[in-house]
């Protein structure tokens, strides 16, 4: 049986994780990181206005609004 804590996150789940982590300051940073991690269809997954708005807000909160 596979341990669910070690499962591969979806592209969107990983994007939110990166946004909350404080390691990415923008959606472009998140896209670059996801591409480097070999996630597929990054552009398609992160192209919607609402997800971009969410990710920007999370990045700002995680980096102290900088």
């Amino acid at each position: 049986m596979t341990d669910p804590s070690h499962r591969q996150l979806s592209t969107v789940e990983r994007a939110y994780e990166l946004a909350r982590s404080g390691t990415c300051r923008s959606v472009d940073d998140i896209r670059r990181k996801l591409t480097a991690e070999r996630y597929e269809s990054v552009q398609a997954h992160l192209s919607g206005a609402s997800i971009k708005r969410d990710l920007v807000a999370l990045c700002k909160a995680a980096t102290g609004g900088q």
Side-chain angles (χ1 to χ4, degrees):
M1 185 172 224
T2 304
D3 181 356
S5 67
H6 288 90
R7 71 179 176 85
Q8 172 78 21
L9 296 175
S10 73
T11 303
V12 172
E13 289 171 323
R14 181 64 176 140
Y16 276 86
E17 183 177 75
L18 289 168
R20 288 185 192 100
S21 73
T23 60
C24 295
R25 299 176 73 91
S26 68
V27 176
D28 284 337
D29 286 350
I30 294 169
R31 284 187 184 118
R32 281 190 286 277
K33 181 76 172 161
L34 290 170
T35 300
E37 292 179 3
R38 298 183 180 261
Y39 279 87
E40 295 183 11
S41 305
V42 172
Q43 278 298 114
H45 286 293
L46 305 185
S47 64
S50 62
I51 192 168
K52 285 192 277 190
R53 189 170 37 250
D54 287 350
L55 294 173
V56 166
L58 288 170
C59 286
K60 283 184 180 180
T63 60
Q66 298 175 4

